[in-house]
């Protein structure tokens, strides 16, 4: 097993693991919301084809992760609290 000191994932039932899972779930939700809002659509002037569509999806996913890690919309914190309460 990879240890935390080497930058690996925390133990599966630790608060850090639950928080990381909650942030990732919020990022996934935000990515879908951004895509629905049209952020994932490339401007007509680029014309990059299928490759552009792939990278646009990756960009939206990373933007969503950054939003979630910066505090997001509060969904991750709500999920984290619910998970820790359920564990108690």
């Amino acid at each position: 097993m990879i240890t935390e000191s080497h930058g690996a994932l925390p133990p599966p039932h630790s608060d850090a693991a639950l928080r990381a899972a909650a942030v990732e779930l919020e990022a996934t939700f935000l990515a879908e919301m951004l895509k629905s809002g049209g952020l994932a659509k490339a401007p007509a002037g680029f014309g990059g084809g299928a490759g552009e569509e792939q990278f646009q999806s990756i960009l939206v996913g990373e933007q969503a992760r950054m939003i979630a890690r910066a505090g997001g919309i509060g969904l991750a914190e709500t999920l984290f609290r619910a998970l820790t309460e359920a564990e108690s």
Side-chain angles (χ1 to χ4, degrees):
M1 181 175 197
I2 302 173
T3 62
E4 192 171 335
S5 63
H6 293 102
L9 295 174
H13 294 292
S14 71
D15 281 354
L18 288 176
R19 187 171 299 280
V23 168
E24 191 59 32
L25 186 58
E26 179 175 3
T28 302
F29 173 77
L30 288 171
E32 290 303 314
M33 294 302 292
L34 292 171
K35 288 175 191 174
S36 293
L39 188 64
K41 294 179 183 151
F46 287 116
E52 184 176 348
E53 290 175 18
Q54 275 299 124
F55 285 111
Q56 190 67 26
S57 175
I58 293 168
L59 177 62
V60 169
E62 284 304 310
Q63 289 171 332
R65 279 187 196 87
M66 292 184 74
I67 293 169
R69 289 178 187 148
I73 58 173
L75 181 61
E77 187 61 29
T78 302
L79 291 169
F80 175 73
R81 287 183 186 162
L83 290 170
T84 54
E85 287 174 11
E87 228 179 39
S88 299

